[in-house]
Amino acid sequence: MNGKKLFFILAAALGCALNVSAKNIWDDFGDHVTTQNVRAFTKDLGGLIGSGTYTTGRVLGWGGFQIGPRASMIFKMSEAQGDTYEARQQTALGEREDVGTVWYPWLQADIGMPFRVDGFIRASSFQGMTIAGGGLRWGITRPSEVLYSFQPMLVVSAHSASARDFSATHYNASLVLSMKFKYVVPYIGGGVDYTTLHINRADRDLSLEGSNEYAATARATAGLNFKLPAYLDLSIAANYANYGLGAEGSLSLRF
């Protein structure tokens, strides 16, 4: 089986997984959000949306093109505010142990443009939430194929998210540094996610309905980007934000 067939099989499998997902976890928001957990939720949502915006580690270059599925993961949501352990475990989606790992997939397309700029767009609807957005990556220095060369890069992005009980806008700015090896590009990055959450329904605290929550949170990422045969591009990374440890990954066709 060649690489392109594998890519399309995995992409189709992801599409099937999105369609058969049984539980819309984001629909639990209106039943559980309170003044004690709404800020932690806003930070977690921003970190989840902002992940995966620079899986290439460096710019594609003029004429480059990349498309494929991406996914971000939070291993466990942040604790809420509270005086007791039990109170801190009540997140805006339910009890922390019951919610467990939260992940979100989407399809992303990237294109290389002049002046060391990449543009990208991404979108998905999964488990009761729809996200759409995009951004730009700018190579501060000219990309080089020389082994062990560095490239610093700036990334900015903006997204909108919508669920039954809330909506959100998200902005991110990050600085990334990568190094060129023969088959792999390791990269590290750090930035800030700024999120505005609008609350449509809050059954436990009616004072929250119609209000906005604003939160900024830092996020650090370390990852590896592999150039595989048949134009396949694989990236895996770990990130750390308000929620603690998270992960992200992508499999793309790259030209």
Side-chain angles (χ1 to χ4, degrees), residues 106-172:
W106 55 80
L107 185 67
Q108 180 167 321
D110 309 64
I111 186 169
M113 300 184 291
F115 307 110
R116 305 189 300 275
V117 174
D118 288 351
F120 61 91
I121 56 174
R122 51 181 10 191
S124 181
S125 184
F126 181 63
Q127 291 186 335
M129 181 168 65
T130 299
I131 298 177
L136 297 171
R137 296 188 294 264
W138 176 59
I140 298 174
T141 61
R142 186 178 300 277
S144 173
E145 294 303 311
V146 176
L147 293 182
Y148 316 121
S149 61
F150 288 94
Q151 186 188 26
M153 179 173 66
L154 289 175
V155 184
V156 293
S157 66
H159 300 83
S160 63
S162 178
R164 186 186 66 184
D165 299 331
F166 67 87
S167 60
T169 56
H170 166 271
Y171 302 95
N172 167 264

Side-chain angles (χ1 to χ4, degrees), residues 73-77 101-102 220 237-247:
M73 177 185 297
I74 297 174
F75 292 122
K76 188 170 288 188
M77 297 188 69
T101 298
V102 176
N239 55 59
Y240 190 87
N242 186 69
Y243 47 73
L245 189 63

Side-chain angles (χ1 to χ4, degrees), residues 76 78-80 84-91 94-97:
K76 188 170 288 188
S78 301
E79 289 187 348
T84 65
Y85 174 82
E86 289 75 14
R88 292 192 295 271
Q89 299 308 299
Q90 301 303 313
T91 78
E95 209 276 333
R96 279 182 88 217
E97 292 297 331

Side-chain angles (χ1 to χ4, degrees), residues 29-33 201-206 209:
F29 176 85
D31 297 326
H32 298 283
V33 64
R201 185 171 73 91
D203 289 349
R204 290 194 178 187
D205 191 340
L206 295 178
E209 290 191 0

Side-chain angles (χ1 to χ4, degrees), residues 1-17 69 232 251 253:
M1 180 183 297
N2 62 37
K4 290 184 179 180
K5 288 182 178 179
L6 176 61
F7 170 82
F8 287 114
I9 288 173
L10 290 175
L14 175 62
C16 291
L232 285 179
L251 179 66
L253 276 176

